[in-house]
Amino acid sequence: MTLFLLILSIVSLCSAVPQQVVDLTGSSWTVADTGGRAKVSATVPGQVHLDLLKAKVIEDPYDGWNDWSYQWIAYSDWTYSREFQLPKITDQTVLLKVEGLDTVATISIDGSEAGRAVNMHRTHYFDITRALVESSRDHTIEVTFNSSANYSLGMAGMYPYKLNGGGQYFNYSSRNFVRKTQSDFGWDWGPAFVPSGITGNISVIVTSGVYVTRITPKTFFSDGLYGVNVTICTMVGAKLGSAILSINYTLETPKIGLYEDRYTLYSSSREVCISTHTQVSIDKIEPTYLWWPNGVSNHAPSVSQAIVSVNITSSTDSADVLWKSEVTKNIGFRRIDLIQDAVKSGETFYFQLTTEDAKYPIFAKGSNFIPMDAFVNRANQETTRRLLTSAVQGNQNMIRIWGGGLYQPDWFYDLCDELGIMVWQEFMFADALYPRDKDFLMEVELEVQDVVRRLGNHPSIVLWSGNNENQDAGEKDSISLVDYTVLYDSVVRATLWLEDTTRIYWPSSPSNGVLVDDSARGLFIQRWGDGGSSDYGDTHRYNYDDFCTDDTKFPTPRFASEFGFQSYPSFASLAKISTKVDWSNDSPLMNHRQHHPNGNQEMDAQMKMFFRSPNNSDTAVQFQDFVYLSQVVQAVCIKAEAEHYRRYISVDDVFTRGTLYWQLNDIWQAQSWASLEWSGQWKLLHYYMSDVYRQLSASSLAEDNEIGIYIVNDAAIQNIEYNLVINVLTWKGENVRAYDIIGATAKAFTGKKVWSSSIAEIFAGTSTEEAFLHYTVMIPKSGVSNYTGNHFPANFSKVALEPATITPSHFTSASATKVMFNLSSNAVAPFVYLESRNVPGRFSDNGFTILKGGQIFMSFESWEKFDVKHFSSGLSIRSLQDTYSDKLYEAKNRFLKRN
């Protein structure tokens, strides 16, 4: 890690007064509802539900029907209170800083109102000087939260016309009228708790001089030069009066050398910011010092620490320090552009990293990220690291922070910086039209300022986006169009012009993009039209009715930023929040947990297109079979669609160069589109997508009575040599015929059909119901594991599978957190599903096909130490045959074998 030292000295014409910061976080709080129903000890940062849970007033909100049972909490008003001490206040100014108020809050100090807030996405500063009882050192603070649901209804009721955007699964609310996580009101993958609380750090700041509110170093590339901007934001205490700040700026790094400059700022009681500007020659930044996205080159993402110090001193006595701050921020040098070149039909849409020596086009491989928990304070750095590490282990290089959630904490982006994950960052607006009265627009302007200043240092953030899926709503009529353009063009985009011109701005997702984006003239004009167009920008696509692997139903977009299909989480996860009476696909609880209309029926219908429905006489076993098959279907569906998009990486006039499937993570234990469960466990989809997202990937496709094998190499500038071996195998394990391609070369950033043959020739002497295609891709001397794929030509309801016994053996400890073992089978077994019941973690592969008499070498790795015997005793192994274990199947299998 390279160390960048930035030292900033600020000289002020002020009198000398010491500074003091009093931390108010911790467990010295109480919280009570204003109706007198509950009063408990509280922890800050935190939320009401979590304090009630700790005090055993409520049970786990995620259990059973508790999301409905505890709606009274959301419709209640709650007050946090505590005592604190300060030195006697004379000429000082006292500020209250709160980094998270969720959401509609009134702050009182010593019984007097000191401020209000209506936006959970901002850091708030309140001047509480006049509210303090000056004669006392002992003080009280109360933070009262009005019900966000009730508040939203009141604001909607006062608005002159109706704006669609009511609560999803929380009917009595209007979520678009409150600046709060929109999915707190429920979504088609999550619960509706509408929580409240002091979710961020809170402190009292005593000063008579300047207070530095924000320091943000931000790298940029312009006119062939890399550079660093440092934004310094200050506030001056009201009692201090006006002052002229002389800012001496010094930047010193091993690569840039020494740079000095001087700035003058006229202070204000409101937050005022300046931006410094330093440029360095491009030849001084070597490739190893650049920030590289995961997998784009052999270089790791270089993250540097910027240590920024600010000293505010009296002009008459430089040793008399009025305010002193030091922050450490991640920075990284990179030039990543969005390439939108004209082609025959429309424009391209892909990201590209440029160095002095080469251009690296990037195929964006990733997923969409939703809030990690319904209660933001339960999401910690440890669980976040596991989620993001799983994304990288799944060969992902980008995540899209979805606009219906929240801006993540700083450490989230620190992890993305470290892991080389590009972030598509949306502003928090989703699936609704929003008000455009002056108070709401002012809140949005302050929100954008605060968010960009807080996050601007992170090299992982490569794009700002205006919203999720709101552009189509903005086009429905003239009033909606004005609502949309005033908010996003005149406020969000205009504010971003002032705050950050180093990154791409994308108006919405999906969107056709921009016709004019001219900050000098203040002109921003979107390209309106069909949001599903394949000619421009990004698209969202969902199809729950057709056979999900039918390639003819897939579009050919420039960039697929949403697509997906649902499945259940593992049965082990469901068992923790349900009882045996709930274990069926149409039980009341499973229907309640399913927030996507007809979602359970869609999973069942799609499953029947591949397999027969589980019908074990034991309903609990039958449900476990259904859960397992739902994950198989989800994995097969999304794998097929993603492979389709990747095959068009280099096809003229298509150039599909990005896939972000919906969605990476889960918010609770329920049916969803996620590839990672709420616990962090990998679903089968995550294993399948890690193969799809290999740098050199292979896929099969049946078209025009042929089966073809495609090879995609998404390496930007590196050709890759490979060998391909293809076998036609019967379900009895016999090898019918084989093909191979030895010593082939996949050119950089291309996709190509490398082998094909007629279905009649491939299955001559057998049939599509008796045999399948099994292929292996090997990259000699690369150290990369072989990829094995299969093409199953027949519906499995027509396939006679032999009973399979899969045997694990040779369990060996590789480390305190990793075990190696072997698997063998007496029959061909498709879709082998491994589950660790005793130890959390992931397998080296899952959902694979094991061949008759074959042996597969496996590993399992946990994020905690474990005993091998404890792991092996909880290892569950399931294959497709296990869903066909009843007498009905056995009779049908005998019939198929005879005929």
Side-chain angles (χ1 to χ4, degrees):
M1 180 175 283
T2 310
L3 183 66
F4 286 74
L5 184 63
L6 293 85
I7 303 174
L8 291 82
S9 296
I10 303 181
V11 182
S12 176
L13 304 175
C14 312
S15 59
V17 179
Q19 67 189 43
Q20 184 174 358
V21 178
V22 179
D23 185 5
L24 298 186
T25 60
S27 55
S28 299
W29 294 79
T30 60
V31 65
D33 72 302
T34 56
R37 185 168 180 174
K39 182 178 181 179
V40 300
S41 297
T43 299
V44 172
Q47 289 172 297
V48 172
H49 286 78
L50 302 182
D51 293 321
L52 296 178
L53 175 62
K54 185 177 180 180
K56 298 183 179 179
V57 174
I58 63 173
E59 297 177 346
D60 187 343
Y62 277 12
D63 283 354
W65 296 78
N66 284 347
D67 56 321
W68 272 17
S69 301
Y70 297 151
Q71 286 194 3
W72 64 270
I73 302 172
Y75 286 113
S76 301
D77 299 335
W78 296 87
T79 297
Y80 284 79
S81 60
R82 65 160 288 171
E83 297 179 347
F84 65 99
Q85 290 186 322
L86 290 177
K88 186 176 180 181
I89 305 302
T90 55
D91 294 329
Q92 298 100 321
T93 294
V94 185
L95 301 175
L96 179 69
K97 176 183 178 182
V98 195
E99 297 179 56
L101 287 170
D102 185 9
T103 294
V104 185
T106 302
I107 293 88
S108 297
I109 303 293
D110 294 342
S112 298
E113 183 177 319
R116 296 189 176 196
V118 290
N119 192 333
M120 71 166 288
H121 301 305
R122 290 178 50 204
T123 295
H124 291 85
Y125 294 91
F126 304 97
D127 188 336
I128 63 173
T129 310
R130 294 181 180 179
L132 290 166
V133 176
E134 293 188 5
S135 61
S136 175
R137 295 176 182 270
D138 298 318
H139 303 279
T140 60
I141 179 173
E142 291 185 344
V143 182
T144 298
F145 290 97
N146 297 115
S147 162
S148 290
N150 291 335
Y151 171 85
S152 69
L153 286 172
M155 298 302 291
M158 291 187 292
Y159 205 70
Y161 54 91
K162 185 176 180 179
L163 287 177
N164 290 327
Q168 294 195 30
Y169 320 107
F170 205 88
N171 293 327
Y172 301 106
S173 62
S174 294
R175 61 176 175 82
N176 49 336
F177 280 85
V178 58
R179 294 307 298 142
K180 175 177 177 58
T181 297
Q182 299 290 269
S183 61
D184 280 353
F185 296 86
W187 220 262
D188 51 8
W189 37 255
F193 289 106
V194 199
S196 60
I198 305 172
T199 57
N201 293 330
I202 180 171
S203 58
V204 174
I205 302 155
V206 182
T207 179
S208 290
V210 178
Y211 174 62
V212 177
T213 58
R214 188 78 70 188
I215 304 171
T216 306
K218 185 167 50 188
T219 62
F220 65 90
F221 181 90
S222 178
D223 299 326
L225 299 175
Y226 287 104
V228 179
N229 284 334
V230 178
T231 300
I232 308 163
C233 300
T234 64
M235 294 178 70
V236 173
K239 291 186 177 181
L240 182 64
S242 60
I244 300 175
L245 307 180
S246 180
I247 302 176
N248 296 309
Y249 170 72
T250 303
L251 170 64
E252 186 174 5
T253 77
K255 290 294 173 184
I256 298 176
L258 183 66
Y259 182 86
E260 296 182 2
D261 210 335
R262 184 181 182 88
Y263 299 86
T264 299
L265 175 69
Y266 293 90
S267 67
S268 169
S269 59
R270 294 188 63 183
E271 190 175 40
V272 176
C273 301
I274 62 156
S275 290
T276 68
H277 191 77
T278 307
Q279 285 185 306
V280 295
S281 299
I282 192 170
D283 57 7
K284 291 186 180 180
I285 304 294
E286 300 169 6
T288 53
Y289 285 93
L290 294 175
W291 188 84
W292 293 87
N294 176 43
V296 171
S297 78
N298 294 326
H299 299 295
S302 179
V303 179
S304 308
Q305 281 191 331
I307 302 175
V308 184
S309 297
V310 175
N311 290 283
I312 305 175
T313 63
S314 169
S315 60
T316 58
D317 185 357
S318 61
D320 190 5
V321 178
L322 299 177
W323 188 266
K324 183 176 182 179
S325 296
E326 181 174 284
V327 298
T328 300
K329 298 282 190 178
N330 282 353
I331 62 170
F333 291 98
R334 86 286 185 277
R335 177 188 172 187
I336 296 179
D337 300 306
L338 180 61
I339 306 302
Q340 299 177 83
D341 291 336
V343 291
K344 184 178 179 181
S345 300
E347 294 177 352
T348 62
F349 184 104
Y350 65 95
F351 295 89
Q352 180 173 278
L353 185 143
T354 301
T355 70
E356 185 180 16
D357 301 319
K359 294 181 178 179
Y360 293 80
I362 300 170
F363 192 103
K365 302 179 290 187
S367 53
N368 288 268
F369 199 90
I370 66 168
M372 292 174 275
D373 199 287
F375 307 104
V376 61
N377 295 107
R378 288 204 300 201
N380 57 42
Q381 295 189 47
E382 180 183 358
T383 56
T384 304
R385 178 175 285 277
R386 286 203 293 267
L387 285 176
L388 294 178
T389 299
S390 290
V392 170
Q393 290 169 336
N395 296 314
Q396 298 189 26
N397 59 27
M398 176 175 275
I399 57 172
R400 172 176 169 250
I401 307 293
W402 171 71
L406 70 156
Y407 308 101
Q408 295 294 332
D410 292 8
W411 44 260
F412 179 95
Y413 302 92
D414 287 337
L415 289 170
C416 292
D417 296 340
E418 173 192 332
L419 296 171
I421 300 174
M422 294 182 291
V423 175
W424 173 312
Q425 178 65 59
E426 291 188 345
F427 291 102
M428 293 300 121
F429 305 91
D431 294 88
L433 289 171
Y434 289 82
R436 54 181 165 98
D437 60 274
K438 63 181 179 62
D439 290 339
F440 189 89
L441 296 180
M442 176 59 73
E443 275 298 329
V444 171
E445 180 182 348
L446 294 172
E447 174 185 322
V448 173
Q449 288 176 354
D450 191 72
V451 168
V452 176
R453 292 169 188 173
R454 177 169 70 88
L455 302 179
N457 61 290
H458 293 284
S460 55
I461 298 176
V462 298
L463 177 145
W464 301 107
S465 179
N467 61 74
N468 171 75
E469 296 183 349
N470 288 351
Q471 187 168 294
D472 283 350
E475 294 185 71
K476 69 177 185 178
D477 55 48
S478 58
I479 292 179
S480 299
L481 185 61
V482 175
D483 288 338
Y484 185 93
T485 55
V486 167
L487 175 60
Y488 298 111
D489 299 358
S490 300
V491 178
V492 174
R493 183 61 184 121
T495 305
L496 196 57
W497 273 331
L498 300 175
E499 297 294 331
D500 186 4
T501 58
T502 69
R503 291 178 174 87
I504 304 145
Y505 176 72
W506 191 244
S508 177
S509 181
S511 174
N512 292 323
V514 178
L515 292 174
V516 178
D517 189 353
D518 189 335
S519 60
R521 291 182 172 86
L523 287 176
F524 184 80
I525 304 173
Q526 299 188 37
R527 179 184 285 111
W528 301 97
D530 178 14
S533 170
S534 292
D535 293 335
Y536 299 94
D538 67 315
T539 62
H540 296 184
R541 186 259 183 190
Y542 296 93
N543 182 341
Y544 304 111
D545 299 324
D546 294 314
F547 187 44
C548 72
T549 61
D550 184 351
D551 185 80
T552 65
K553 302 294 184 181
F554 298 145
T556 52
R558 307 298 186 198
F559 194 104
S561 53
E562 277 194 31
F563 59 100
F565 196 83
Q566 282 196 326
S567 75
Y568 276 95
S570 64
F571 178 76
S573 291
L574 291 170
K576 293 177 181 178
I577 52 90
S578 62
T579 61
K580 189 173 182 178
V581 69
D582 305 313
W583 295 346
S584 70
N585 187 47
D586 59 355
S587 73
L589 180 62
M590 293 306 155
N591 282 325
H592 167 68
R593 221 65 180 185
Q594 172 61 272
H595 286 179
H596 171 57
N598 301 315
N600 289 356
Q601 292 74 24
E602 288 167 355
M603 283 190 289
D604 184 48
Q606 193 67 228
M607 191 180 298
K608 289 174 180 176
M609 297 184 192
F610 288 94
F611 311 108
R612 73 178 187 95
S613 297
N615 62 351
N616 194 292
S617 57
D618 185 327
T619 56
V621 173
Q622 184 184 129
F623 182 60
Q624 291 181 60
D625 290 343
F626 191 95
V627 168
Y628 154 67
L629 287 179
S630 78
Q631 289 206 21
V632 172
V633 170
Q634 180 194 38
V636 169
C637 289
I638 303 312
K639 175 177 180 286
E641 188 165 354
E643 287 174 338
H644 162 82
Y645 296 139
R646 282 176 61 76
R647 286 194 287 266
Y648 282 89
I649 183 174
S650 58
V651 175
D652 285 344
D653 207 35
V654 178
F655 302 116
T656 303
R657 292 179 175 178
T659 56
L660 308 178
Y661 65 85
W662 186 270
Q663 66 209 62
L664 179 67
N665 57 312
D666 251 335
I667 198 171
W668 70 335
Q669 311 98 318
Q671 307 93 312
S672 82
W673 295 258
S675 66
L676 298 175
E677 298 186 15
W678 179 66
S679 66
Q681 178 174 321
W682 289 26
K683 287 186 181 179
L684 289 184
L685 173 60
H686 206 79
Y687 290 97
Y688 276 41
M689 290 306 296
S690 67
D691 283 334
V692 174
Y693 282 162
R694 286 171 177 249
Q695 188 174 69
L696 187 81
S697 61
S699 63
S700 60
L701 179 65
E703 55 185 345
D704 300 327
N705 296 315
E706 289 187 344
I707 296 176
I709 303 292
Y710 289 77
I711 296 291
V712 174
N713 174 15
D714 66 35
I717 60 175
Q718 178 187 358
N719 297 337
I720 299 177
E721 292 188 3
Y722 67 93
N723 300 328
L724 173 65
V725 176
I726 305 166
N727 295 97
V728 181
L729 305 176
T730 68
W731 287 107
K732 294 180 179 180
E734 301 163 341
N735 194 341
V736 177
R737 59 183 53 85
Y739 310 88
D740 61 47
I741 299 174
I742 306 299
T745 298
K747 293 184 178 180
F749 218 63
T750 62
K752 183 181 179 181
K753 182 192 290 187
V754 299
W755 176 88
S756 65
S757 185
S758 70
I759 293 175
E761 178 185 334
I762 293 170
F763 296 104
T766 180
S767 73
T768 56
E769 295 176 3
E770 296 174 313
F772 63 97
L773 213 61
H774 180 78
Y775 54 94
T776 302
V777 179
M778 295 157 283
I779 306 175
K781 301 179 182 179
S782 68
V784 177
S785 60
N786 297 341
Y787 169 68
T788 299
N790 300 284
H791 185 93
F792 302 125
N795 186 302
F796 276 95
S797 64
K798 300 178 181 179
V799 172
L801 297 175
E802 295 188 341
T805 300
I806 302 171
T807 305
S809 62
H810 298 89
F811 291 90
T812 305
S813 177
S815 70
T817 59
K818 186 175 183 179
V819 63
M820 313 292 288
F821 62 98
N822 297 346
L823 290 177
S824 58
S825 178
N826 65 341
V828 178
F831 307 114
V832 176
Y833 176 56
L834 307 179
E835 189 174 5
S836 173
R837 298 287 176 86
N838 294 341
V839 182
R842 71 173 185 92
F843 295 91
S844 53
D845 196 7
N846 217 338
F848 50 83
T849 296
I850 188 168
L851 303 181
K852 183 175 183 178
Q855 188 167 220
I856 295 181
F857 301 98
M858 298 293 304
S859 67
F860 174 85
E861 192 164 4
S862 178
W863 44 80
E864 59 187 40
K865 295 180 180 180
F866 65 91
D867 177 75
V868 172
K869 289 185 178 179
H870 185 56
F871 163 76
S872 61
S873 66
L875 177 62
S876 169
I877 305 173
R878 181 187 296 267
S879 70
L880 187 59
Q881 280 95 322
D882 294 310
T883 69
Y884 297 169
S885 59
D886 61 352
K887 293 181 180 179
L888 177 64
Y889 168 71
E890 292 171 2
K892 183 177 181 180
N893 202 7
R894 286 193 297 271
F895 175 80
L896 288 170
K897 287 181 178 179
R898 288 196 305 268
N899 296 276

